[in-house]
């Protein structure tokens, strides 16, 4: 499982920056994607929320989506408009304001038995050195993680599951499905050629480091 370990290490380090489209009809996964609203338009993030430290006035977006790579991931459907999101939050010395867009996806994206909440925006007022992940945690709890510190749910959605493969994909549907409790499969790939494509690895990398940072912060507080 050497390749799987390498993929997992890349995710935890947040070093996956090249987001490329996977092969046609590749296995699709249901997961939270992370977007940067710099300049008022959405761009698939190339850093994880735990390492990205946006300046005052930035907008960051999270979209629950189904896809095999970044090219297929759905963008947040709310505009990356800081003035509209943070107009009711006055500036404060020693703090910065980050607009947060939460798009819970469509009914077709939702896991069985769940309905996506309505999209919403929040204005996080956080310390000047706060990361995008800390801004998210300030306004969108509860957050849920898996054993590998992968961000699985925002504001309690979805209730279960984490970056699960979607049934019905035309390639690798059965052989590449992540095994229950198999950390290496969930981290990104298996030795049979299945698992998320490079683009999806980038998307998961964008959120997995947020979970790793949260675990580290919790341990530091307990210490």
């Amino acid at each position: 499982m050497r390749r799987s370990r390498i993929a997992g290490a890349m995710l935890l380090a947040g070093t996956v920056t090249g987001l490329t489209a996977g092969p046609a009809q590749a296995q699709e996964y249901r997961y939270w994607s992370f977007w940067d609203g710099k300049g008022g338009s959405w761009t698939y993030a190339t850093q994880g929320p735990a390492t990205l430290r946006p300046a005052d006035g930035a907008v960051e977006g999270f979209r629950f989506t189904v896809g095999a790579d970044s090219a297929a991931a759905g963008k947040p459907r709310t505009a990356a408009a800081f003035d509209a999101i943070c107009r009711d939050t006055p500036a404060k010395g020693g703090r910065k304001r980050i607009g947060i867009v939460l798009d819970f996806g469509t009914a077709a994206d939702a896991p069985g038995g769940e309905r996506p909440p309505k999209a919403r925006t929040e204005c996080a007022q956080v310390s000047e050195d706060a990361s995008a992940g800390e801004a998210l945690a300030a306004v969108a709890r509860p957050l849920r993680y898996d054993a590998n510190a992968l961000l699985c749910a925002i504001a309690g959605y979805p209730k279960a599951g984490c970056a699960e493969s979607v049934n019905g994909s035309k390639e690798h549907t059965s052989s590449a499905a992540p095994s229950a409790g198999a950390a290496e499969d969930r981290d990104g790939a298996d030795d049979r050629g299945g698992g998320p494509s490079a683009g999806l690895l980038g998307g998961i990398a964008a959120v997995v480091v947020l979970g790793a940072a949260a675990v580290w912060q919790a341990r530091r507080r307990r210490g």
Side-chain angles (χ1 to χ4, degrees), residues 18-211:
L19 303 181
T20 59
Q25 299 181 335
Q27 175 66 64
E28 293 184 321
Y29 288 78
R30 180 181 286 115
Y31 70 107
W32 277 101
S33 59
F34 177 45
W35 300 79
D36 186 11
K38 185 176 182 179
S41 60
W42 293 116
T43 303
Y44 207 93
T46 57
Q47 291 188 60
T51 59
L52 179 64
R53 298 187 181 277
D56 180 74
V59 181
E60 308 301 331
F62 295 83
R63 166 75 188 263
F64 194 70
T65 188
V66 171
D69 52 65
S70 59
K75 295 182 179 181
R77 292 165 292 175
T78 301
F82 175 80
D83 290 341
I85 296 171
C86 288
R87 62 189 173 193
D88 296 327
T89 304
K92 184 183 296 185
R95 310 281 285 177
K96 65 182 178 182
R97 295 173 297 165
I98 307 298
I100 301 292
V101 172
L102 303 175
D103 188 331
F104 297 88
T106 67
D109 296 332
E114 294 200 53
R115 295 183 62 183
K118 184 179 179 180
R120 72 176 200 251
T121 62
E122 301 286 352
C123 187
Q125 193 163 63
V126 291
S127 63
E128 291 180 327
D129 65 346
S131 67
E134 290 170 321
L136 174 68
V139 297
R141 293 181 178 176
L143 306 179
R144 178 170 57 82
Y145 308 92
D146 74 355
N148 302 303
L150 174 64
L151 179 62
C152 305
I154 296 176
Y157 182 82
K159 295 178 181 178
C162 196
E164 296 176 322
S165 61
V166 177
N167 292 333
S169 294
K170 296 181 180 179
E171 183 179 5
H172 303 311
T173 303
S174 59
S175 64
S179 304
E184 290 182 330
D185 284 353
R186 288 197 301 271
D187 276 344
D190 66 21
D191 289 335
R192 295 166 294 186
S197 67
L200 182 55
L201 286 179
I204 295 177
V207 292
V208 71
V209 290
L210 166 60

